[in-house]
């Protein structure tokens, strides 16, 4: 057996995985504006602040006037508290650094997972980049990044259990699911991972003829089923208790899902999905041209998530991680030399393996986690000091959000109810609440189909009724909810409609947004008193 000389001495040098963590946490932070492009971030911060201030998780809507006291299942409350705490300490820089740490951690753990199944750095590093490139589709200040991290953690634990058969490794699963159920509804995919592991062991059980092996598989199945049951029970320890899974099933069947971009099928004409297509090609090639080495459970789970991701692009990160595990298991034998072969004429891959072997062993150096930890601490303290604001500007982009228009509304105190789309409604929660409540925001699952389709009618001047589509009239909806001013995009269909309507006045315009006010006597008096001039049509 080859002696590992590296276990005898200490080195402060980081492993290759540590280098990945350091580089990507810093790169993501320095380019962190892309994490602040989702409207959800706005109400995540504000709700986290509410939970910290009151010590309670809201059970009803706080922010809209269209659905007062509507029941709201706040399944991501733990993540909200984390983000709000980071925002309180260091503003948007704290929020982005927190998310950078989470994302870099999931990259590091996935790299470690590939290394644990026998992949050399030559295989593990490119596959880590490929998988995480696909996963970037769901990288933002939302709890989806926590689900990605905990999904990889679950796969790592299950893989370690397969390798060692040590049941003690599985004891951390209930704790993981406890955290997961209080940060995101995505803990469902963790149960899927355990379920397919049980299926794999069952298939091994029925195919084994040796009684000792069958008994071993039977014990494994019992242990996994028991841990699955315990994990399911601990997910009930959350403010919403048993309501989470029924809630998940209800929103999964909502009609609005057909119109939400991230829940639609992938658009393969988009350059963003080139990495998804590349990964799919490599997966098919590895299975078509190489002997099957991939574990059956992982392979079946990969196919299930492939089908799921073709229905909803939001599920593509899970397919990405699983497919890269399958690819690694398929190609690993290529890079491992055959000890039966003579070394007189080693192949190119064998020569490459020999050169990488010493570098691979650096992963086992004790103490190699110290430098990444020190870098994390130093950057955290720098972010908390506010110094990073001199290096990078992080906030809601004025190109994506109606920053100037909302400042105008607050400055002049526009009267009455506000209408805006869901995306901008979320930003309005951040910038205008509690002075103004919103018509709708991106919590579409809470609002339900009825008001969602009313917003579509306002935004696209089209009324959706079952499978039929008719011309819509936003004014009917504005009258229904007593909307007095409208915040909309400068080039939107709604803006074009309101400019032609004599009953609306344009009172603000900037590079991104327009504000329209109802043209009536009360508002005319308000305009004279507050803006000192009436806008001409």
């Amino acid at each position: 057996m080859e002696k590992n000389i590296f276990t005898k001495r200490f080195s402060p040098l980081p492993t290759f995985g540590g280098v990945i963590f350091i580089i990507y946490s810093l790169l993501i932070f320095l380019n962190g504006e892309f994490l602040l492009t989702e409207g959800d971030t706005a109400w995540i911060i504000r709700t986290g602040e509410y939970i910290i201030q009151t010590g309670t998780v809201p059970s009803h809507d706080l922010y809209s006037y269209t659905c007062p006291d509507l029941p709201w299942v706040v399944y991501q409350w733990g993540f909200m508290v984390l983000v709000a705490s980071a925002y309180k300490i260091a503003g948007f820089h704290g929020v982005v650094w927190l998310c950078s740490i989470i994302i870099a951690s999931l990259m590091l753990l996935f790299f470690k997972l590939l290394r644990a199944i026998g992949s050399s750095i030559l295989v593990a590093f490119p596959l880590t980049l490929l998988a995480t490139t696909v996963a970037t589709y769901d990288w933002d200040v939302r709890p989806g990044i926590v689900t990605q991290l905990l999904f990889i953690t679950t796969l790592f634990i299950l893989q370690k259990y397969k390798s060692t058969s040590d049941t003690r490794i599985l004891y951390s699963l209930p704790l993981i699911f406890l955290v997961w159920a209080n940060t995101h509804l995505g803990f469902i995919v963790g149960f899927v991972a355990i379920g397919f592991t049980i299926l794999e062991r069952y298939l091994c059980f029925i195919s084994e003829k040796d009684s000792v092996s069958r008994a071993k598989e039977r014990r494994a199945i019992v242990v996994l089923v028991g841990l699955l049951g315990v994990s399911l029970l601990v997910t009930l320890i959350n403010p919403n208790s048993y309501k989470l899974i029924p809630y998940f099933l209800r929103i999964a069947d909502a009609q609005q899902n057909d119109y939400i971009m991230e829940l639609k099928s992938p658009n393969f004409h988009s350059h963003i999905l080139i990495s998804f297509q590349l990964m799919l090609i490599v997966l098919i090639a590895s299975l078509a041209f190489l002997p099957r080495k991939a574990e059956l459970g992982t392979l079946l789970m990969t196919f299930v998530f492939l089908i799921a991701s073709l229905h909803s692009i939001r599920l593509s990160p899970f397919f990405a991680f699983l497919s890269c595990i399958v690819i690694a298991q398929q190609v690993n034998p290529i890079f491992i030399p055959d000890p039966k072969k003579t070394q007189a004429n080693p192949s190119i891959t064998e020569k490459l393996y020999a050169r990488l072997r010493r570098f691979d062993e650096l992963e086992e150096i004790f103490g190699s986690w110290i430098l990444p930890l020190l870098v994390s601490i130093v950057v955290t303290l720098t972010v908390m000091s506010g110094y990073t604001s001199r290096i990078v500007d992080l906030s809601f982009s004025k190109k994506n959000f109606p920053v100037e228009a909302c400042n105008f509304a607050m400055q002049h105190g526009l009267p009455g109810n506000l209408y805006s789309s869901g995306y901008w409604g979320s930003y309005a929660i951040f910038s205008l609440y509690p002075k103004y409540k919103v018509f709708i925001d991106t919590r579409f699952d809470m609002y339900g189909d009825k008001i969602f389709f009313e917003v579509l009618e306002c935004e696209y001047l089209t009324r959706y009724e079952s499978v039929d589509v008719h011309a819509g009239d936003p004014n009917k909806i504005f009258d229904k909810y007593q909307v007095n001013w409208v915040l909309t995009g400068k080039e939107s269909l709604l803006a074009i409609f309101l400019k032609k309507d004599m009953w609306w006045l344009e009172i603000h315009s900037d590079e991104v947004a327009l504000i329209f006010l109802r043209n009536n006597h009360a508002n005319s008096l308000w305009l004279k008193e507050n803006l000192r001039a009436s806008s001409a049509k």
Side-chain angles (χ1 to χ4, degrees):
M1 183 176 180
E2 185 180 359
K3 187 178 181 180
N4 185 4
I5 61 172
F6 296 97
T7 58
K8 293 187 177 182
R9 59 191 176 92
F10 171 87
S11 172
L13 294 175
T15 63
F16 197 82
V19 172
I20 291 175
F21 178 86
I22 293 171
I23 291 176
Y24 277 92
S25 61
L26 293 175
L27 280 177
I28 292 169
F29 176 71
L30 294 174
N31 297 277
E33 193 170 342
F34 82 93
L35 294 173
L36 299 172
T37 56
E38 282 294 333
D40 292 21
T41 304
W43 54 262
I44 284 174
I45 293 174
R46 289 293 180 244
T47 308
E49 291 173 336
Y50 174 88
I51 295 171
I52 293 171
Q53 291 169 4
T54 64
T56 60
V57 177
S59 58
H60 292 79
D61 178 40
L62 304 172
Y63 306 117
S64 77
Y65 64 86
T66 51
C67 302
D69 297 325
L70 186 70
W72 180 21
V73 178
V74 185
Y75 54 81
Q76 64 278 67
W77 74 272
F79 182 75
M80 290 173 167
V81 170
L82 278 177
V83 171
S85 300
Y87 182 78
K88 182 178 181 180
I89 294 170
F92 284 111
H93 288 76
V95 172
V96 170
W97 177 239
L98 170 66
C99 294
S100 300
I101 289 290
I102 294 173
I103 293 170
S105 297
L106 73 87
M107 292 183 69
L108 170 59
L109 189 59
F110 187 68
F111 176 79
K112 291 289 188 182
L113 172 57
L114 295 180
R115 299 283 285 125
I117 62 177
S119 299
S120 70
I121 290 174
L122 184 68
V123 174
F125 180 59
L127 287 179
T128 299
L129 291 183
L130 181 60
T132 51
T133 299
V134 176
T136 54
Y137 185 86
D138 201 28
W139 284 1
D140 43 47
V141 187
R142 294 192 296 176
I145 57 175
V146 176
T147 281
Q148 289 186 27
L149 175 60
L150 296 181
F151 179 69
I152 295 170
T153 304
T154 303
L155 294 179
F156 188 89
I157 292 171
L158 292 173
Q159 185 60 46
K160 198 170 181 181
Y161 173 68
K162 292 177 188 177
S163 303
T164 64
S165 298
D166 186 355
T167 56
R168 292 174 297 180
I169 296 169
L170 299 173
Y171 293 164
S172 59
L173 281 176
L175 179 60
I176 289 171
F177 278 93
L178 177 62
V179 174
W180 208 342
N182 287 277
T183 51
H184 195 220
L185 205 54
F187 66 86
I188 302 294
V189 298
F191 290 142
V192 173
I194 297 175
F196 273 96
T197 303
I198 294 172
L199 175 61
E200 179 183 310
R201 303 312 289 257
Y202 176 73
L203 293 175
C204 291
F205 170 76
I206 62 176
S207 63
E208 285 285 354
K209 296 182 179 180
D210 179 66
S211 59
V212 176
S213 298
R214 286 175 64 88
K216 180 181 177 181
E217 295 298 337
R218 186 187 295 111
R219 285 195 298 271
I221 293 171
V222 171
V223 169
L224 287 167
V225 170
L227 262 295
L228 178 62
V230 173
S231 298
L232 181 60
L233 287 176
V234 300
T235 60
L236 300 178
I237 306 174
N238 69 83
N240 299 288
S241 186
Y242 64 91
K243 298 177 183 178
L244 288 184
I245 292 180
Y247 179 75
F248 170 81
L249 296 175
R250 180 176 67 80
I251 64 175
D253 193 44
Q255 188 179 355
Q256 64 183 247
N257 295 346
D258 295 334
Y259 299 88
I260 299 174
M261 187 61 64
E262 64 183 22
L263 300 180
K264 290 184 177 181
S265 297
N267 176 15
F268 290 109
H269 295 285
S270 172
H271 69 278
I272 299 175
L273 292 176
I274 290 177
S275 57
F276 184 99
Q277 298 173 65
L278 174 62
M279 183 182 60
L280 187 57
I281 291 170
V282 175
L283 174 65
I284 293 172
S286 68
L287 293 172
F289 300 110
L290 296 174
R292 187 180 73 80
K293 300 293 182 181
E295 295 170 345
L296 183 58
T298 305
L299 191 59
L300 292 174
M301 185 162 43
T302 302
F303 290 147
V304 167
F305 274 100
L306 170 60
I307 295 171
S309 62
L310 291 176
H311 282 84
S312 172
I313 188 63
R314 193 176 192 176
L315 296 173
S316 60
F318 308 110
F319 167 65
F321 296 129
L322 289 167
S323 63
C324 284
I325 292 172
V326 170
I327 294 168
Q329 291 174 337
Q330 288 292 102
V331 302
N332 281 344
I334 297 175
F335 295 91
I336 300 176
D338 188 349
K340 297 180 180 179
K341 288 186 178 181
T342 176
Q343 298 300 312
N345 296 303
S347 66
I348 294 176
T349 56
E350 288 170 346
K351 291 179 180 178
L352 188 57
Y353 177 85
R355 289 181 178 275
L356 287 173
R357 183 69 186 111
R358 184 176 177 85
F359 193 35
D360 282 350
E361 287 175 341
L362 286 172
E363 293 293 302
E364 302 169 10
I365 295 177
F366 174 75
S368 58
W369 50 267
I370 288 181
L371 187 57
L373 179 61
L374 288 176
V375 170
S376 299
I377 293 173
V378 170
V379 176
T380 300
L381 293 175
T382 306
V383 170
M384 291 173 64
S385 71
Y387 183 80
T388 52
S389 59
R390 305 179 188 179
I391 302 172
V392 57
D393 181 25
L394 295 174
S395 61
F396 286 120
S397 172
K398 292 183 178 181
K399 296 180 180 179
N400 297 325
F401 295 98
V403 178
E404 293 182 15
C406 287
N407 290 340
F408 173 87
M410 287 296 288
Q411 178 184 352
H412 296 283
L414 300 185
N417 290 335
L418 152 72
Y419 169 85
S420 65
S421 67
Y423 187 69
W424 282 7
S426 293
Y427 177 76
I429 289 174
F430 182 82
S431 60
L432 302 179
Y433 180 83
K435 184 172 184 178
Y436 296 100
K437 290 194 172 186
V438 299
F439 187 95
I440 196 173
D441 54 82
T442 50
R443 297 170 298 157
F444 300 129
D445 51 342
M446 183 200 72
Y447 286 100
D449 288 339
K450 181 176 180 292
I451 194 166
F452 177 83
F453 285 107
E454 288 179 329
V455 171
L456 287 189
E457 181 173 349
C458 293
E459 292 298 314
Y460 300 105
L461 311 183
T462 303
R463 187 168 72 256
Y464 297 84
E465 295 179 352
S466 185
V467 296
D468 298 323
V469 178
H470 309 280
D473 183 2
N475 278 321
K476 290 183 179 179
I477 296 172
F478 295 158
D479 291 341
K480 175 181 176 181
Y481 293 100
Q482 299 180 347
V483 172
N484 197 51
W485 58 284
V486 174
L487 172 64
T488 188
K490 196 168 186 178
E491 305 296 331
S492 67
L493 292 174
L494 180 57
I496 296 171
F497 174 85
L498 295 178
K499 283 183 177 181
K500 297 177 180 179
D501 193 324
M502 63 179 292
W503 297 108
W504 291 92
L505 297 172
E506 180 184 324
I507 62 170
H508 171 80
S509 175
D510 57 53
E511 294 183 358
V512 175
L514 300 175
I515 293 179
F516 293 89
L517 185 69
R518 275 191 186 271
N519 187 5
N520 57 34
H521 179 68
N523 286 336
S524 296
L525 295 176
W526 181 89
L527 284 169
K528 291 178 181 179
E529 293 176 2
N530 292 273
L531 299 185
R532 300 181 181 278
S534 179
S535 299
K537 200 68 180 168

